[in-house]
Amino acid sequence: MKNTISKFSIFAFFLLFSLSACKDECDDVNCLNGAACDEGDCICTTGYEGDVCQTETRAKFFGSYNVSENCTPSGNFNYQMTIVTSAAGPLSVIINNFYGVGASVTATVSGANITVPNQTVTTQGEALTYSGSGQITGNILTMSYSASQGAATDNCSATCTKL
């Protein structure tokens, strides 16, 4: 009898241990914005980040900035620009008053990086072609870009401080 109780106790212990080991690691994880859970971690859909995919990747760029720009050969300039959402996709933004001339350019974000793909924008009757990239750290966005019109090119670096 003692032997049967002992075997039953061991069997019950292993059964309980096995059932607890089979617990789905995603049972208590609530992934957001269409994300899927895999072994307790959220796999975010394009355009979202964070532990449970709660944050839009591009949101860190949104806002108004004071820009301190140094361009060769045209010189140094200070102005304000804004970065807002774009309907072009979950990683797309619009930069208003880019280059300080009222231009609105589209850009894409990836993590802390922003890219202004080659594009021509007509502002105040003048067509300028822009391209460049940058990175945000905290409230500082640093960018390098060019603005071209015909054979003339301005190569710029800018420090953009979020207001």
Side-chain angles (χ1 to χ4, degrees):
M1 175 90 172
K2 277 186 173 183
N3 200 9
T4 304
I5 292 175
S6 180
K7 286 180 185 177
F8 178 75
S9 297
I10 292 171
F11 174 75
F13 172 76
F14 281 112
L15 180 63
L16 184 61
F17 179 75
S18 296
L19 290 176
S20 66
C22 292
K23 182 178 186 277
D24 185 351
E25 294 175 2
C26 292
D27 280 349
D28 298 327
V29 178
N30 184 22
C31 300
L32 303 174
N33 297 306
C37 184
D38 182 30
E39 296 182 12
D41 295 319
C42 292
I43 309 302
C44 299
T45 57
T46 300
Y48 291 93
E49 61 189 18
D51 293 342
V52 293
C53 307
Q54 71 278 12
T55 305
E56 251 191 303
T57 302
R58 63 187 176 177
K60 66 178 76 59
F61 291 93
F62 295 158
S64 297
Y65 295 82
N66 281 329
V67 180
S68 177
E69 177 183 72
N70 180 320
C71 297
T72 303
S74 68
N76 300 323
F77 303 93
N78 295 297
Y79 56 91
Q80 286 190 344
M81 71 177 193
T82 59
I83 300 179
V84 297
T85 188
S86 167
L91 297 176
S92 185
V93 297
I94 297 170
I95 305 174
N96 293 308
N97 198 32
F98 188 73
Y99 189 57
V101 295
S104 292
V105 299
T106 59
T108 56
V109 302
S110 176
N113 299 309
I114 189 166
T115 301
V116 177
N118 194 46
Q119 59 195 281
T120 300
V121 177
T122 301
T123 306
Q124 301 171 356
E126 293 190 35
L128 293 168
T129 301
Y130 304 102
S131 65
S133 62
Q135 184 172 29
I136 195 165
T137 304
N139 68 334
I140 305 293
L141 172 61
T142 54
M143 295 192 73
S144 296
Y145 47 89
S146 64
S148 302
Q149 185 177 40
T153 298
D154 226 0
N155 292 304
C156 303
S157 61
T159 300
C160 313
T161 305
K162 195 181 280 192
L163 300 175

